[in-house]
Structure formats: C-alpha cells, structure tokens
Amino acid sequence: MLHLVGLGLADETDITVKGLEIVKKAERVYLEAYTSILLVEKEKLEAFYGRPVIVADRELVETGSDDILKDAETVDVAFLVVGDPFGATTHTDLVLRARELGIKTNTVPNASIMSGIGCTGLQLYNFGQTVSMVFFTETWKPSSFYDRVKENAQFGLHTLVLLDIKVKEQSLENMARGRKIYEPPRYMTVAQCAQQMLETEEERKEEVYRPVSLAIGAARVGALDQKLVVGTLEELSKVDMGRPLHSLVLLGKRAHDLERDYIREFAIDTESFDNAWKANNYGSIS
C-alpha cells in the first residue's frame, strides 16, 4: 500500500501517532521536499523515526513516480508530506498513478498552513480563495493572484497568500546546457511579498488594496519561535521576520471587532493600526 502521511507544520514531533506507526513499519520512506519544508533537517526525522528517509525532489515525484511506487502492491511505502498530504495537487497525481497500477492507498491527514493560519486570530470562515505569490523577475511578473484577491475583496474576505520557495532549481543557462547544477535554495519573505503586491497594484491600478491596507505576516507557524506581525502593506514591505517559512494574510472588509482586538496585539505600531482600521473601513460588511 502507498501511505501518504502528513507531517504537520514545524518539526519531527508534529507527525501523528497513526502516521508514526506507519513510518516505522514501511519498507521505504520518502520525504517530499519541494512544495514545502519542515523546519528541521532530514537527519532529525531519521533519528526520531529510527528509519532512513529518501528525499523526493520535484523531478522524482513528477517524473519518477514508478520508482516511488515500485512493489507497493506487496509492501508498504510511506510518502511524507509537510503539512497535509493533499495541500498540493502533485500528490493527487501520485494517488491517481497508484490507482492505475492497482496499488491501494491510504492517507493520514495533519495540520497545514490552511488551518494553522488560524493562529492569527482571524476566523477561518472569513477566508476566501488562497493564492500563491511567486518570485518576480525583471521580465516575468505574473499578476493572476491579483484577480483572485479582487474576488475575495468583493465579498470582504481575507486572503491567505502562500509564498514561493525555490529548492533544487536550475538557472536558465544551466537548464539549456543540460547541466545538473542547482541554485541555492530561496524562500520568499513577508517583506518581498508585500513589496510585490504593492508593485502589482501600482501596475494594475484597480485599488483592490492600498499601501495602507492591513495585513498579517506569519513566520514559522506552529513552531516554538512562531512570529506574527500586523501592519499596513507598506510597513510589512520593510519588516524582517527571520528564517522561513513565511505567509501573509490580507485583511478583508468583513473583519470583525473580535478579530481586530486579537490581531492588534501584534501590531508594529498600534496608532498606525488604529488609523488604518478606520481608513480602510474594516467591519463595514456584515
């Protein structure tokens, strides 16, 4: 059987008891390592599980799935996913491939950023579509996220923005020359995300949000050193939230007074926060 096991958000101890029992008995254990990362090294996982762990990069998961599924009709294979197993569509593809081969599958869910972002104190019912923010380049600045944020804003809903990570990526030159040389890992910060959002608004000029719109920066959600910072997009474009992983939440107009009272604790500047709350007319949509 193929077991997709969610690892949770932070470290080796976030795995569920059910998931740990599967890992300890599995013939092979893979760690998916490109849609997200745990905040600890692979060696810590291996020490905690008492088992060797095979790192599965994008190439292996997307083009080498037969290697992962080898003999899974007769032995147990554990495929570990940071967060929840179905937080990325890639893993749906892996299950479909297993079905084609007649391999049974089992899923062990866990906390993901989609639920963990509740640590901000914002009501999960008030969130709209989740969007992703990729690293801009000089020639490529996709703004499809902006349209989804606009749709959320029309209903006064909060928007969770997931930030880009680049792990085992090749430069265009190395890719063109067929050289297996990889760039150092990069993880987008809250400041970079806020800056790119402002840049996109300046380009689109549809006033979906403004420099004074309130947002929450979240870093290392679920870890002991979790950090939350609340401020305007302009303020967050200058904030340093430390090591990855980062996420950002743009507040919607439906924000409730209880949410205001909770997030105010994390404000960069409470006076600026109060002024921005009034200027953006939060709480105006019931």
Side-chain angles (χ1 to χ4, degrees), residues 224-283:
L224 292 175
D225 62 344
Q226 170 181 294
K227 184 175 183 178
L228 301 176
V229 174
V230 177
T232 65
L233 284 175
E234 184 66 36
E235 289 172 331
L236 290 183
S237 70
K238 302 178 180 68
V239 74
D240 180 1
M241 299 196 64
R243 68 189 183 99
L245 292 171
H246 294 187
S247 303
L248 182 143
V249 179
L250 182 69
L251 259 65
K253 293 291 182 67
R254 187 176 288 179
H256 191 274
D257 287 349
L258 289 175
E259 293 176 300
R260 176 199 63 199
D261 294 344
Y262 193 96
I263 66 176
R264 191 175 185 272
E265 174 74 19
F266 308 109
I268 294 173
D269 179 271
T270 53
E271 183 178 353
S272 172
F273 173 86
D274 292 340
N275 290 336
W277 185 275
K278 294 175 183 176
N280 289 288
N281 202 25
Y282 292 112

Side-chain angles (χ1 to χ4, degrees), residues 4-239:
L4 282 82
V5 180
L7 294 184
L9 291 167
D11 59 36
E12 71 277 15
T13 64
D14 282 349
I15 192 171
T16 64
V17 173
K18 183 183 295 184
L20 185 58
E21 290 176 347
I22 289 171
V23 169
K24 286 183 176 294
K25 296 177 182 178
E27 182 78 10
R28 298 191 307 279
V29 181
Y30 293 91
L31 171 64
E32 188 269 275
Y34 69 90
T35 58
S36 188
I37 59 164
L38 272 188
L39 302 178
V40 295
E41 299 299 320
K42 176 176 76 84
E43 289 73 21
K44 275 202 169 184
L45 297 183
E46 292 177 323
F48 189 73
Y49 302 153
R51 297 296 313 287
V53 173
I54 304 166
V55 174
D57 59 19
R58 182 189 297 271
E59 184 178 359
L60 177 58
V61 176
E62 295 186 346
T63 64
S65 60
D66 287 348
D67 292 333
I68 296 174
L69 297 173
K70 182 181 178 182
D71 301 326
E73 67 275 11
T74 57
V75 301
D76 286 322
V77 175
F79 186 78
L80 312 182
V81 182
V82 177
D84 186 80
F86 291 114
T89 54
T90 296
H91 310 129
T92 305
D93 292 341
L94 185 61
V95 170
L96 291 175
R97 178 59 179 153
R99 287 180 184 173
E100 290 175 0
L101 297 172
I103 297 169
K104 295 180 181 179
T105 62
N106 172 51
T107 303
V108 182
N110 208 323
S112 74
I113 191 61
M114 305 287 281
S115 58
I117 201 64
C119 69
T120 58
L122 299 180
Q123 298 172 17
L124 295 180
Y125 287 123
N126 284 342
F127 278 78
Q129 302 168 87
T130 298
V131 303
S132 297
M133 177 69 72
V134 301
F135 283 108
F136 285 179
T137 69
E138 289 297 320
T139 57
W140 189 61
K141 299 181 180 182
S143 61
S144 57
F145 78 90
Y146 186 88
D147 299 310
R148 305 289 80 77
V149 176
K150 182 178 180 179
E151 292 171 1
N152 290 344
Q154 289 171 343
F155 293 98
L157 300 173
H158 310 311
T159 299
L160 170 60
V161 185
L162 303 179
L163 311 192
D164 200 6
I165 68 173
K166 297 290 187 185
V167 179
K168 205 174 181 182
E169 296 277 341
Q170 291 175 276
S171 68
L172 292 177
E173 180 183 354
N174 286 329
M175 192 180 300
R177 295 176 179 271
R179 296 184 299 207
K180 294 291 185 178
I181 300 174
Y182 302 100
E183 299 294 295
R186 289 194 296 152
Y187 307 97
M188 184 179 287
T189 67
V190 163
Q192 289 171 315
C193 177
Q195 182 57 49
Q196 289 188 180
M197 290 179 71
L198 292 173
E199 186 177 339
T200 302
E201 177 58 58
E202 181 64 25
E203 177 70 24
R204 297 282 294 264
K205 299 185 184 302
E206 297 178 40
E207 296 189 352
V208 171
Y209 48 80
R210 303 180 293 164
V212 294
S213 294
L214 285 172
I216 304 175
R220 301 171 298 283
V221 170
L224 292 175
D225 62 344
Q226 170 181 294
K227 184 175 183 178
L228 301 176
V229 174
V230 177
T232 65
L233 284 175
E234 184 66 36
E235 289 172 331
L236 290 183
S237 70
K238 302 178 180 68
V239 74

